Amino acid sequence: MRKYDENSKELTEVFCNYCGRPLRTDGGIVKEGIVSVDNAFGYFSDKDGQVHSFDLCEKCYDNLMLQFELPVTIRHMKELL
């Protein structure tokens, strides 16, 4: 979950939607591992027209991945941007 300053629109706080832990931010930048999901549901879904957004800390992401029947695909980037 993200909170923004009403005037400047700068990111002020981020919380893991799963465990509720506040994530470290500085100057509008998240300073730790995070997974952000922003999904717009479309046709053939029971959620047509809804956009669901959430953030997970790295620990909660790791715990969620352990529950998957099929493993996530992992690739290594040549450059970190």
Side-chain angles (χ1 to χ4, degrees):
M1 180 178 99
R2 293 169 180 246
K3 292 188 179 183
Y4 295 88
D5 181 273
E6 289 182 22
N7 298 321
S8 69
K9 306 297 183 203
E10 181 177 289
L11 180 67
T12 57
E13 294 180 289
V14 180
F15 298 88
C16 175
N17 282 79
Y18 191 79
C19 71
R21 183 175 70 81
L23 304 176
R24 284 179 286 134
T25 58
D26 183 24
I29 298 171
V30 180
K31 297 283 190 160
E32 61 180 283
I34 185 173
V35 172
S36 298
V37 174
D38 192 38
N39 185 67
F41 287 92
Y43 297 117
F44 314 111
S45 165
D46 292 336
K47 297 170 186 63
D48 287 354
Q50 294 181 18
V51 178
H52 290 209
S53 302
F54 63 88
D55 297 297
L56 297 175
C57 67
E58 196 168 359
K59 181 178 178 181
C60 288
Y61 171 80
D62 290 341
N63 289 335
L64 179 63
M65 293 307 103
L66 292 174
Q67 297 175 43
F68 280 20
E69 187 66 31
L70 301 172
V72 297
T73 300
I74 298 173
R75 296 176 297 146
H76 293 278
M77 299 185 315
K78 294 182 180 172
E79 288 186 40
L80 298 175
L81 301 176

